[in-house]
Amino acid sequence: MSITSSLSVLLTNSSAETLTLVSSKVTGSSSTGSISLPQTVTRGTYGGLGVPASDTPYTVEWVYTPDGGATHLSFTTKLDGKDGITIIPSESGPLAGSWQLEEHLERLGDGWLVRYYYNVV
């Protein structure tokens, strides 16, 4: 059986607008059922976040909002095995066109380090 890699997370908000956590979840992991994310993300970078390796493929999803919940800025990250990773960013709501979500990933030992960016356009 193949071990699914760990996920280390860095969140970067390049805007002066505060982002508030709407929801977060981990599904399918044999090692954890949740990810601890900051309730608010102001301008800057937040680290020390992540999910340990798992015996099973898993998905990590979270949603932040810049406007009290009308606009959703979400990332869905699917991990499968040592090298399988898919990241799906999504913006929806009235301010969706004002935000651009990006990510940059790299190997970090036996896991992935992913930098998730929230940028105002």
Side-chain angles (χ1 to χ4, degrees), residues 75-99:
F75 280 102
T76 301
T77 305
K78 300 177 181 183
L79 294 103
D80 187 359
K82 180 178 181 229
D83 295 321
I85 185 168
T86 303
I87 302 170
I88 304 165
S90 175
E91 309 96 3
S92 64
L95 298 179
S98 300
W99 289 86

Side-chain angles (χ1 to χ4, degrees), residues 31-102:
S31 61
T32 187
S34 65
I35 181 171
S36 180
L37 297 172
Q39 289 301 308
T40 58
V41 176
T42 55
R43 183 185 300 269
T45 299
Y46 298 75
L49 314 166
V51 177
S54 170
D55 291 334
T56 55
Y58 63 93
T59 301
V60 183
E61 301 173 78
W62 65 82
V63 179
Y64 278 95
T65 182
D67 60 4
T71 300
H72 283 184
L73 308 174
S74 66
F75 280 102
T76 301
T77 305
K78 300 177 181 183
L79 294 103
D80 187 359
K82 180 178 181 229
D83 295 321
I85 185 168
T86 303
I87 302 170
I88 304 165
S90 175
E91 309 96 3
S92 64
L95 298 179
S98 300
W99 289 86
Q100 181 178 25
L101 304 182
E102 299 176 2

